[in-house]
């Protein structure tokens, strides 16, 4: 008698079929001068992924060789009839961290800070940051190697993300390891990084980000303001309930608060793929691998979207493997929306995807599909 197929085995089998279909479809398409491969591969990938996962809505965008494609499937909100597109406003959660890392890179390139500066003197929310053997440096915060935990702990009488909440979490000896010796995913660290950069530049962080990164890159639809209007990606929790993003929280500007669009993410990808254009020094600092995984202890919370081999400034670095080239990537999840951005810096290929439901298996599959799409469009 044949053994029944388990749920996990069935999920893995469906994912293998999906990845194989993407590769076969893309390989069968000729590449003309106007590169119809990009449109066909991206639209096919998005359509199959949307059908397979049944998430309410999906946006997928990609760039290759200076050309781009954006496709939307499903609905921005259940029952709205509004298909997501390149201008749909999306809360991208922890993809925000790559912008915070890039702000650090720009300030370092300008000589305002050094990557190895102690972060504590400019944080402001507390008088001093905890230390173990040496101070927490800016680069430690930007590479998840500060030794701080993932989230703030509850503090009696203090609202979460308030100054008092940070002070209560950072008091005493909260470090889990000596800074720079391990990696533990830390939202606390990136919020503190934004505060430290604001203090070093003597500018409110949201203004600093706008002046340093968003305006120079032409990311006019990217910012912290809560989006309004009809073309907004509404997020849903794991039970299908609608989630309210709320108003922006100042002390969360570094870790997870930006809203953007797929069109702006295309511009962001194009800038990151422009190896020798404007902002080259900051881009190089942003992409460089500062901590290689080998020898770090611990390493935790970094592999959900692909195996982390090293850390850039907010970017997870995945070394080449089989047909897949070197990839820099970051995932984000907030208020019922999961997003993923990844690019091959030496191949001119990048992908952005977003789904509007907290479907964890779909979020992991989304990263796998995006990474496979990059491998298909930019084989080694």
């Amino acid at each position: 008698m044949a053994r029944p197929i388990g749920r996990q085995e069935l999920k893995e089998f469906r994912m293998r079929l999906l990845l194989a279909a993407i590769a076969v479809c893309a390989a069968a398409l000729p590449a003309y001068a106007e590169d119809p491969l990009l449109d066909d591969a991206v639209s096919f990938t998005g359509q199959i992924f949307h059908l397979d996962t049944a998430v309410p809505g999906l946006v997928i965008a990609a760039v290759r060789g200076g050309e781009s494609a954006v496709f939307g499937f499903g609905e921005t909100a259940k029952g709205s009839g509004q298909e997501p597109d390149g201008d749909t406003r999306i809360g991208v959660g922890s993809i925000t961290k790559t912008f915070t890392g890039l702000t650090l890179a720009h300030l370092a390139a300008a000589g305002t800070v050094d990557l190895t500066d102690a972060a504590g003197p400019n944080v402001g929310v507390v008088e001093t940051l905890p230390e173990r053997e040496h101070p927490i440096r800016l680069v430690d915060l930007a590479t998840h190697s500060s030794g701080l935990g993932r989230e703030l702990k509850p503090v009696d009488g203090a609202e979460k993300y308030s100054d008092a909440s940070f002070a209560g979490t950072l008091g005493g000896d909260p470090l889990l390891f000596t800074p720079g010796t391990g990696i533990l995913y830390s939202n606390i660290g990136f919020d503190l990084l934004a505060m430290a950069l604001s203090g070093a530049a003597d500018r409110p962080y949201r203004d600093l980000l706008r002046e340093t990164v968003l305006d120079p890159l032409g990311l006019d639809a990217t910012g912290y303001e809560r989006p309004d209007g009809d073309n907004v990606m509404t997020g849903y929790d794991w039970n299908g309930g609608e989630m309210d993003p709320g108003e922006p929280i100042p002390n969360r500007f570094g870790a997870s608060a930006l809203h953007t669009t797929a069109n702006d993410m295309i511009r962001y990808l194009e800038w990151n793929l422009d190896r020798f254009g404007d902002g080259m020094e900051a881009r190089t600092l942003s992409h460089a691998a500062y901590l290689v995984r080998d020898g770090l202890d611990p390493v935790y919370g970094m592999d959900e979207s692909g195996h982390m081999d090293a850390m850039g400034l907010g970017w997870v670095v995945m070394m080449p493997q089989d047909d897949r080239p070197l990839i820099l990537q970051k995932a984000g999840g907030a208020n019922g929306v999961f997003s993923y951005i990844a690019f091959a810096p030496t191949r001119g290929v990048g992908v952005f995807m977003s789904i509007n439901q907290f479907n964890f298996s779909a979020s992991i599959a989304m990263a796998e599909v995006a990474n496979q799409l990059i491998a298909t469009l930019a084989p080694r």
Side-chain angles (χ1 to χ4, degrees):
M1 180 180 295
R3 180 177 62 85
I5 298 177
R7 179 179 298 179
Q8 182 63 28
E9 291 176 298
L10 179 60
K11 183 176 73 173
E12 292 175 355
F13 177 70
R14 291 171 66 191
M15 178 53 59
R16 288 196 296 270
L17 286 179
L18 175 59
L19 294 174
I22 293 169
V24 169
C25 176
L29 294 169
Y32 301 105
E34 55 276 2
D35 197 7
L37 170 73
L38 184 64
D39 274 359
D40 287 354
V42 173
S43 63
F44 180 80
T45 299
Q47 185 177 40
I48 295 300
F49 187 82
H50 182 245
L51 291 172
D52 188 63
T53 60
V55 292
L58 161 71
V59 173
I60 181 170
V63 299
R64 183 172 92 150
E67 297 189 29
S68 62
V70 182
F71 293 91
F73 301 91
E75 298 177 300
T76 57
K78 295 177 182 179
S80 69
Q82 170 85 44
E83 189 174 76
D85 57 29
D87 292 322
T88 300
R89 295 293 305 281
I90 302 166
V92 290
S94 286
I95 290 176
T96 300
K97 292 179 174 68
T98 70
F99 287 86
T100 312
L102 182 54
T103 303
L104 169 59
H106 275 290
L107 292 187
T112 305
V113 301
D114 290 329
L115 295 180
T116 54
D117 283 348
N122 286 311
V123 164
V125 71
V126 291
E127 290 187 8
T128 60
L129 287 180
E131 295 187 13
R132 183 176 296 180
E133 297 185 18
H134 57 79
I136 296 172
R137 305 166 300 173
L138 296 175
V139 69
D140 298 327
L141 295 175
T143 56
H144 296 288
S145 61
S146 66
L148 294 168
R150 185 183 184 102
E151 303 287 353
L152 295 171
K153 66 182 182 182
V155 176
D156 289 343
E159 186 177 350
K160 193 174 183 180
Y161 306 121
S162 65
D163 288 6
S165 177
F166 276 91
T169 295
L170 297 171
D173 183 20
L175 296 184
L176 303 176
F177 53 87
T178 300
T181 65
I183 288 181
L184 174 66
Y185 194 93
S186 177
N187 288 316
I188 300 171
F190 271 84
D191 286 329
L192 290 173
L193 177 59
M195 298 174 197
L197 297 178
S198 173
D202 195 24
R203 300 281 293 153
Y205 181 73
R206 63 192 303 166
D207 295 341
L208 178 64
L209 176 66
R210 173 64 59 189
E211 295 165 5
T212 305
V213 177
L214 302 183
D215 285 348
L217 271 61
L219 305 183
D220 299 332
T222 303
Y224 294 109
E225 299 78 14
R226 177 175 177 165
D228 55 16
D230 297 328
N231 198 9
V232 177
M233 194 76 104
T234 298
Y236 297 90
D237 64 23
W238 40 90
N239 294 315
E242 183 174 328
M243 298 189 73
D244 184 352
E247 297 300 326
I249 301 171
N251 283 349
R252 286 232 76 191
F253 285 161
S256 175
L258 283 176
H259 296 266
T260 187
T261 65
N263 283 335
D264 266 18
M265 288 295 93
I266 285 176
R267 297 183 187 95
Y268 190 46
L269 284 168
E270 289 173 339
W271 185 86
N272 277 285
L273 291 168
D274 182 11
R275 298 172 69 190
F276 304 108
D278 290 343
M280 179 172 57
E281 185 174 0
R283 184 165 44 245
T284 301
L285 291 171
S286 171
H287 295 177
Y290 294 94
L291 282 181
V292 177
R293 186 178 191 129
D294 182 51
L296 297 178
D297 183 23
V299 176
Y300 186 76
M302 304 303 302
D303 298 328
E304 288 82 356
S305 301
H307 183 81
M308 182 214 77
D309 294 304
M311 278 301 303
L313 300 183
W315 292 108
V316 174
V317 182
M318 297 166 56
M319 296 302 180
Q321 183 180 21
D322 300 327
D323 288 337
R324 192 199 70 206
L326 173 75
I327 287 178
L328 274 67
Q329 52 94 341
K330 186 70 188 78
N335 305 307
V337 176
F338 279 131
S339 301
Y340 183 69
I341 189 169
F343 61 95
T346 61
R347 301 306 183 95
V349 174
V351 172
F352 169 76
M353 291 183 70
S354 188
I355 58 176
N356 61 343
Q357 186 166 14
F358 271 176
N359 180 326
F360 292 99
S361 61
S363 72
I364 294 172
M366 177 171 63
E368 294 177 6
V369 165
N371 295 338
Q372 178 61 44
L373 182 58
I374 290 174
T376 298
L377 295 171
R380 291 178 64 193

